[in-house]
Amino acid sequence: MAESQSLYLCLLLFLFLHLLLPLPPALASSTPTPTAWPHQFHSVLFINSSGNLQKTDLWYDWPNGRNFNIIQHQLGVLKYDLEWNNGTSFYYTLDPFNHTCKVIHFDVGILRPNWLDGANYLGQHYADNFLCNVWEKVDFIWYYEDVLTRRPVKWIFYSGMIAHVMTFEVGAVLEDAQWQAPVYCFNEAETHEKSSSSKALLDSEASGALGGSFMREITTQHAYVK
Ligand SMILES: *[C@@H]1O[C@H](CO)[C@@H](O)[C@H](O)[C@H]1NC(C)=O
Ligand SMILES: *[C@@H]1O[C@H](CO)[C@@H](O)[C@H](O)[C@H]1NC(C)=O
Ligand SMILES: *[C@@H]1O[C@H](CO)[C@@H](O)[C@H](O)[C@H]1NC(C)=O
């Protein structure tokens, strides 16, 4: 009798404590959502695309409607991929490399700061030795965000291309003079490649020959899904 009574008390105490104690944060909050991108930042990315390595300086500048990928291929060419929110992209090289420029028009602008909204949460995993929350968006990108600082750590693309985020300077802005495409981009004699965005173009050009214009790819992918 006394035994069942104390058991009963234990149970009451247990229930009482449960009501008083807050749930651990992981259970109390709903599924985590990715942090929106800061409106301006500079990031250095190390990118491995099927063994081809590149270092990319990413200058994201949403208020000015522009995004820049400055791509150093390992022991190779330095390429500039300047993207405007009106859909125009300039891909060019400067001295000491040959003067080349391609102008491509996309139907989509640059990535919006909240482009990760609606991504599917896949739980927590380690990436590059950081504990990360992981999301997947439209079977196109797997996005790893540091649990502690909420900064991006790693992006994996459906193509197998992996970007490791080495620096993430919130608020850093590249000066206006650097956003000027060279004169030979505006010379009609140059091969201007005008095209509305198509998957074929992305598969053949943007992801391959152009050195991985992944930001436009993501945006275009979004446009297809919507
Ligand atoms: C790059 O990726 C390939 C697989 O595509 C892998 O074999 C190679 O080890 C990677 N290189 C580096 C430096 O991470
Ligand atoms: C988009 O904006 C850039 C920069 O202002 C400009 O050079 C380009 O011609 C514009 N493209 C179109 C289609 O208006
Ligand atoms: C640069 O242009 C010259 C002359 O047209 C050509 O011989 C050379 O192969 C080019 N170099 C590259 C890296 O494309």
Side-chain angles (χ1 to χ4, degrees):
M1 189 69 189
E3 203 179 323
S4 73
Q5 211 164 18
S6 61
L7 194 70
Y8 179 68
L9 279 175
C10 269
L11 194 67
L12 267 188
L13 188 68
F14 178 77
L15 288 174
F16 181 67
L17 281 177
H18 247 254
L19 287 177
L20 285 187
L21 292 173
L23 286 170
L27 292 174
S29 67
S30 53
T31 353
T33 50
T35 307
W37 274 12
H39 287 198
Q40 293 174 313
F41 69 86
H42 170 228
S43 186
V44 174
L45 308 172
F46 280 168
I47 298 177
N48 182 349
S49 184
S50 314
N52 296 312
L53 302 183
Q54 63 188 54
K55 185 206 83 175
T56 291
D57 275 278
L58 170 61
W59 294 92
Y60 181 72
D61 192 346
W62 175 252
N64 290 304
R66 60 196 185 181
N67 180 61
F68 216 160
N69 299 299
I70 303 173
I71 305 159
Q72 175 64 63
H73 292 273
Q74 185 177 21
L75 299 175
V77 179
L78 183 63
K79 285 185 181 160
Y80 297 80
D81 165 9
L82 173 52
E83 307 173 345
W84 293 98
N85 213 12
N86 61 14
T88 301
S89 276
F90 297 94
Y91 301 91
Y92 57 89
T93 48
L94 300 174
D95 285 333
F97 302 103
N98 285 354
H99 291 181
T100 63
C101 182
K102 274 188 187 179
V103 183
I104 298 186
H105 191 77
F106 291 84
D107 294 338
V108 292
I110 64 169
L111 283 178
R112 304 181 62 81
N114 66 350
W115 66 276
L116 284 161
D117 282 3
N120 298 317
Y121 184 59
L122 300 177
Q124 295 193 338
H125 299 276
Y126 277 92
D128 298 341
N129 284 339
F130 294 87
L131 180 64
C132 294
N133 282 314
V134 185
W135 294 268
E136 165 274 318
K137 185 100 198 232
V138 295
D139 276 338
F140 184 77
I141 186 171
W142 282 257
Y143 191 93
Y144 292 72
E145 180 186 283
D146 183 21
V147 168
L148 291 179
T149 64
R150 308 200 67 190
R151 290 180 299 190
V153 171
K154 184 164 111 171
W155 307 328
I156 301 178
F157 297 85
Y158 77 105
S159 61
M161 185 171 88
I162 301 180
H164 304 267
V165 180
M166 305 303 293
T167 67
F168 197 70
E169 290 173 76
V170 174
V173 183
L174 185 66
E175 58 198 34
D176 283 345
Q178 303 292 315
W179 296 84
Q180 180 59 59
V183 284
Y184 43 89
C185 287
F186 302 93
N187 173 0
E188 286 307 314
E190 290 286 330
T191 34
H192 278 221
E193 208 166 299
K194 291 252 177 188
S195 168
S196 62
S197 66
S198 66
K199 245 186 162 307
L201 168 78
L202 289 176
D203 289 345
S204 66
E205 293 284 342
S207 49
L210 296 172
S213 176
F214 58 87
M215 305 271 287
R216 286 281 197 218
E217 282 198 62
I218 296 168
T219 325
T220 307
Q221 200 72 17
H222 276 204
Y224 277 109
V225 168
K226 275 167 196 160

